[in-house]
C-alpha cells in the first residue's frame, strides 16, 4: 500500500493508470451484463432556484434536463413524468412525488387530470434552473469537488472495512452523476488525485488497480461535511479539545501535527491520534456509562503516556490493547470499528 510521502507525480500516474483500468473493467462489465441506466442526480446547493437540490431530491436535475429536451421540441406541451421514470427504469420512484417536488420549488406547472398520469411542463423558474444546471456543468472546480465527495462517500458506504475495491464499480452507480450529467473520466482522475494527496484514499498494488478508504477518509465521511470542509479545517499543532464532558476533566483531542523529541525510536503519533479519536467518539459508541467512563480513563492514560517526554513502548502497547479489547467487547458501531482499526495500526507500527 502507498503510505504518507507519496509524491504528486506518482499519485497522478496512479490516477491515470487507475482510470484507464477502470474504463477497461467497466467496458468488460457492460459487455457481460449491460447495466440499467443510472439516474441519481446530485447538484450542489443553490443550483435550482426556489430551494436547495440535495440528496433528498436526487433525480430532479436529470428530470429538469429531460423536460427541457422535450420543451425544445414543443415549448407549450405537457409531458408525462411516468415516461421519465420508465426510461430510466426507476421502479421504486413515484412520478407524482417527483412532480410535486419540482412543483414545491415552482419549477414546473402541473396539468390537472383525473387519471394516474402526471403531466408537467417547465415554468419560467424551471427554465432558469435548467440554465443554471448547464452552467454548473461547466464549473470544473465544482465538478471535481462533487466527484471527490461522491467517490469518498461511496467508498465509505460500500467498503467501510477499508477493503480494496475496483473504482469501475463506482462509475456504474447512480452516484456517478453531477448536475444531470455523468462524471467524466477526467474528473474522476482529478478526484482520485485530490483524495490521495490528502490521505483520504490509498493505492493498492493490484491488477487492475484498486483503492481503499483510509482511516483519515473514514473520519472525513463520519464528520458529515464535504472533503473540502475536511481539508480546510484548522490544524493546530498542540491544541487539545475536551471531547468528553462526562469524564470529569479529561482533555483528549486529536493532534494533527504532534512533535516530540525522544531518542528511544518510538513514534507516539498514532497513539496520540487513537486517544484523541476515542475521546471524540466515546459518547456515540452505545456503551453503558460504566464501560464508557472506563474506556475514557484508558484513553486518558494512553494520551498521558504518548505525550510524555519518553513514552514507554510497553505502556503504549498495554493501553492501546486495552482500548482495542474494550471496543471489541462492547461496541458494534462504525465508529467503534474505526477505533479498532486505528488501535491495530498503532500496535503494528510499534513493532516495526
Amino acid at each position: 500500500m502507498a503510505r504518507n510521502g507519496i509524491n504528486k507525480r506518482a499519485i497522478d500516474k496512479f490516477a491515470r493508470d487507475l482510470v484507464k483500468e477502470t474504463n477497461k473493467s467497466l467496458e468488460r462489465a457492460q459487455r457481460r451484463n449491460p447495466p440499467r441506466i443510472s439516474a441519481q442526480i446530485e447538484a450542489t446547493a443553490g443550483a435550482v432556484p426556489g430551494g436547495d437540490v440535495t440528496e433528498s431530491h436526487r433525480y430532479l436535475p436529470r428530470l429538469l434536463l429531460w423536460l427541457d429536451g422535450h420543451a425544445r421540441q414543443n415549448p407549450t406541451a405537457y409531458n408525462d413524468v411516468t415516461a421519465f421514470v420508465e426510461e430510466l427504469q426507476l421502479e421504486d420512484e413515484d412520478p407524482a412525488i417527483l412532480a410535486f417536488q419540482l412543483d414545491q420549488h415552482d419549477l414546473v406547472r402541473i396539468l390537472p387530470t383525473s387519471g394516474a398520469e402526471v403531466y408537467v411542463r417547465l415554468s419560467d423558474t424551471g427554465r432558469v434552473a435548467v440554465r443554471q444546471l448547464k452552467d454548473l456543468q461547466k464549473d470544473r472546480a465544482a465538478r471535481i469537488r462533487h466527484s471527490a465527495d461522491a467517490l469518498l462517500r461511496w467508498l465509505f458506504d460500500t467498503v467501510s472495512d477499508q477493503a480494496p475495491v475496483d473504482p469501475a464499480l463506482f462509475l456504474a452507480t447512480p452516484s456517478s452523476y453531477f448536475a444531470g450529467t455523468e462524471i467524466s473520466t477526467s474528473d474522476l482522475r482529478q478526484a482520485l488525485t485530490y483524495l490521495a494527496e490528502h490521505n483520504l484514499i490509498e493505492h493498492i498494488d493490484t491488477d487492475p488497480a484498486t483503492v481503499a478508504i483510509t482511516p483519515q477518509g473514514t473520519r472525513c465521511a463520519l464528520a458529515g461535511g464535504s472533503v473540502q470542509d475536511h481539508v480546510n479545517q484548522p490544524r493546530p499543532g498542540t491544541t487539545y479539545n475536551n471531547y468528553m464532558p462526562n469524564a470529569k476533566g479529561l482533555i483528549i483531542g486529536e493532534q494533527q501535527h504532534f512533535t516530540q523529541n525522544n531518542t528511544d525510536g518510538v513514534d507516539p503519533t498514532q497513539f496520540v491520534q487513537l486517544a484523541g479519536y476515542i475521546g471524540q467518539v466515546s459518547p456515540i459508541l452505545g456503551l453503558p456509562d460504566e464501560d464508557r467512563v472506563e474506556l475514557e480513563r484508558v484513553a486518558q492514560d494512553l494520551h498521558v503516556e504518548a505525550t510524555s517526554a519518553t513514552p514507554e513502548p510497553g505502556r503504549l502497547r498495554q493501553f492501546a490493547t486495552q482500548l482495542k479489547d474494550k471496543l471489541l467487547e462492547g461496541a458494534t458501531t462504525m465508529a467503534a470499528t474505526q477505533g479498532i482499526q486505528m488501535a491495530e495500526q498503532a500496535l503494528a507500527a510499534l513493532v516495526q
Side-chain angles (χ1 to χ4, degrees):
M1 294 187 180
R3 299 298 179 191
N4 291 340
I6 186 169
N7 60 52
K8 181 174 176 58
R9 180 179 298 177
I11 292 173
D12 197 54
K13 180 179 183 300
F14 149 63
R16 290 196 301 271
D17 293 343
L18 183 58
V19 171
K20 184 185 300 182
E21 293 296 334
T22 292
N23 290 338
K24 292 179 181 178
S25 298
L26 185 57
E27 290 172 1
R28 289 194 295 268
Q30 288 174 332
R31 287 195 297 268
R32 290 194 301 267
N33 183 25
R36 291 169 41 184
I37 299 175
S38 297
Q40 177 176 343
I41 308 304
E42 295 179 0
T44 60
V48 177
D52 294 342
V53 176
T54 64
E55 288 187 28
S56 62
H57 307 92
R58 59 186 182 177
Y59 298 118
L60 299 193
R62 187 64 178 271
L63 177 53
L64 284 172
L65 295 177
W66 182 84
L67 290 170
D68 179 64
H70 285 277
R72 292 178 181 276
Q73 301 174 13
N74 189 342
T76 61
Y78 285 79
N79 297 279
D80 187 2
V81 181
T82 302
F84 168 79
V85 172
E86 292 176 348
E87 284 182 22
L88 274 67
Q89 303 180 35
L90 308 177
E91 292 89 347
D92 297 330
E93 286 300 315
D94 186 340
I97 297 299
L98 294 176
F100 294 152
Q101 287 177 313
L102 289 179
D103 184 55
Q104 282 183 336
H105 296 295
D106 194 32
L107 300 175
V108 297
R109 297 288 179 263
I110 299 178
L111 179 67
T113 63
S114 58
E117 298 83 3
V118 183
Y119 289 88
V120 303
R121 66 178 177 85
L122 288 175
S123 65
D124 291 341
T125 305
R127 286 192 287 271
V128 172
V130 168
R131 177 57 182 268
Q132 291 187 343
L133 283 173
K134 292 180 179 179
D135 288 342
L136 187 61
Q137 293 168 7
K138 301 173 186 177
D139 187 335
R140 180 168 175 265
R143 294 199 317 268
I144 295 172
R145 286 196 301 268
H146 175 85
S147 299
D149 288 340
L151 177 58
L152 187 69
R153 181 56 185 266
W154 175 78
L155 284 170
F156 176 78
D157 289 339
T158 306
V159 284
S160 56
D161 59 351
Q162 297 180 266
V165 63
D166 185 349
L169 300 176
F170 169 72
L171 292 179
T173 66
S175 300
S176 58
Y177 276 80
F178 170 69
T181 58
E182 295 178 357
I183 291 175
S184 68
T185 55
S186 175
D187 291 339
L188 177 61
R189 180 175 68 84
Q190 292 293 322
L192 287 166
T193 300
Y194 191 70
L195 292 173
E197 284 177 344
H198 292 282
N199 196 32
L200 300 177
I201 63 171
E202 60 182 338
H203 171 213
I204 311 300
D205 295 321
T206 55
D207 185 18
T210 56
V211 297
I213 190 171
T214 63
Q216 181 97 299
T218 299
R219 288 195 290 274
C220 176
L222 283 170
S226 67
V227 169
Q228 198 63 36
D229 291 337
H230 177 82
V231 170
N232 290 340
Q233 65 182 336
R235 308 286 183 178
T238 58
T239 299
Y240 291 87
N241 296 307
N242 186 352
Y243 291 105
M244 296 181 289
N246 296 326
K248 296 182 179 180
L250 286 180
I251 301 178
I252 297 177
E254 179 183 359
Q255 271 186 314
Q256 296 296 335
H257 301 292
F258 177 74
T259 301
Q260 182 179 64
N261 296 321
N262 69 79
T263 59
D264 297 331
V266 176
D267 181 2
T269 303
Q270 293 191 59
F271 294 94
V272 175
Q273 293 175 343
L274 171 61
Y277 178 76
I278 297 300
Q280 289 176 304
V281 303
S282 62
I284 64 171
L285 293 176
L287 295 173
D289 287 344
E290 182 177 350
D291 293 341
R292 177 182 56 77
V293 171
E294 176 63 15
L295 182 73
E296 292 170 352
R297 184 194 63 77
V298 176
Q300 184 187 34
D301 291 342
L302 175 61
H303 176 265
V304 171
E305 183 64 33
T307 57
S308 66
T310 55
E312 203 279 311
R315 288 176 62 80
L316 293 177
R317 182 181 296 105
Q318 173 190 346
F319 296 138
T321 300
Q322 288 178 4
L323 289 177
K324 176 185 173 182
D325 291 343
K326 290 180 182 299
L327 291 173
L328 286 170
E329 291 172 3
T332 59
T333 64
M334 179 61 65
T337 300
Q338 175 64 20
I340 293 169
Q341 292 171 348
M342 291 179 68
E344 291 175 342
Q345 291 172 355
L347 290 169
L350 192 61
V351 299
Q352 291 178 354

